[in-house]
Amino acid sequence: MVLIKVVALLLEYPDEALWQLQDDVREPVSAQDPALLPFIDRYFATPPLDMQAEWCALFERGRATSLLLFEHVHAESRDRGQAMVDLMAQYERAGLELDCRELPDYLPLYLEYLSLQPEAEAQQGLLDVAPILALIGGRLKERGSDFSALFDTLLKVANSPLSSESVAAQVASETRDDTPAAMDAVWEEEQVKFMDNNACDGSAQQQHQRRFRDETAPQYLDLSAGGTA
């Protein structure tokens, strides 16, 4: 599905080469989801360096808007590793080869995979992650970012009842994790954990194992937000 591929490109770290393909991006959007055109116009009216800075501020500060899907389900639990293996196997069966630097749960990569599938399978793949898409979109909308439109487009393609608006109440009650104070607090907590565990046994390997032990509960995804995956 071409529209899914377009959204994948727009969710990737902005590549200056994409500005040379504006017409190719606009064509499927105009035909399938014209409501996304204002975002497209704003995206390409922004200089690449500025868009890169905006992207980093949105998706690389804190975990709430992370583009790593399993971050919102498994967080740092051991379950995440098996989920990665299973997803990698799906990609391999579809003939999709990953760069060694790519994590299989990176949303743009997952969307590229879905764009190669038959329509029904692609829609089901989006429905499987619909609660995550809605929450990321809702968090972006709460922060005043029009990148939320990309997530609403994916939810519409999936025929999901969810949207960035449907989780507004939940998102409004959350504490933002992308503020300087919040990020400093996380860094300080990790430093304390490391120093405390290291002092106990002097083993970095055992410290690493304890960090992940028993952390199996989802930390960010509330599946009761509405709808089903």
Side-chain angles (χ1 to χ4, degrees), residues 134-149:
L135 278 175
I136 298 176
R139 287 162 178 162
L140 291 170
K141 180 164 286 189
E142 176 73 10
R143 299 175 188 189
S145 172
D146 59 354
F147 268 85
S148 63

Side-chain angles (χ1 to χ4, degrees), residues 37-163:
L37 286 174
F39 171 82
I40 301 290
D41 293 338
R42 204 277 298 181
Y43 185 102
F44 289 120
T46 304
L49 284 177
D50 292 342
M51 186 54 68
Q52 289 166 1
E54 179 181 339
W55 187 94
C56 289
L58 289 174
F59 300 116
E60 293 196 337
R61 290 185 182 173
R63 291 171 166 175
T65 56
S66 172
L67 294 178
L68 297 175
L69 292 169
F70 296 152
E71 181 72 44
H72 302 275
V73 180
H74 302 299
E76 295 179 335
S77 79
R78 289 168 293 182
D79 292 343
R80 185 173 184 175
Q82 186 58 54
M84 291 279 202
V85 171
D86 294 343
L87 188 54
M88 182 78 77
Q90 283 185 250
Y91 293 162
E92 291 177 350
R93 288 195 295 270
L96 186 64
E97 296 184 4
L98 270 64
D99 185 285
C100 63
R101 297 168 296 178
E102 295 177 317
L103 292 174
D105 65 334
Y106 183 51
L107 179 56
L109 179 61
Y110 181 65
L111 294 177
E112 181 180 351
Y113 158 72
L114 291 182
S115 72
L116 301 174
Q117 306 309 303
E119 183 173 347
E121 293 180 23
Q123 287 179 328
Q124 184 58 54
L126 290 174
L127 282 174
D128 290 342
V129 297
I132 303 174
L133 299 176
L135 278 175
I136 298 176
R139 287 162 178 162
L140 291 170
K141 180 164 286 189
E142 176 73 10
R143 299 175 188 189
S145 172
D146 59 354
F147 268 85
S148 63
L150 295 175
F151 293 84
D152 283 329
T153 290
L154 293 174
L155 292 165
K156 282 189 284 186
V157 171
N159 292 321
S160 170
L162 296 174
S163 70

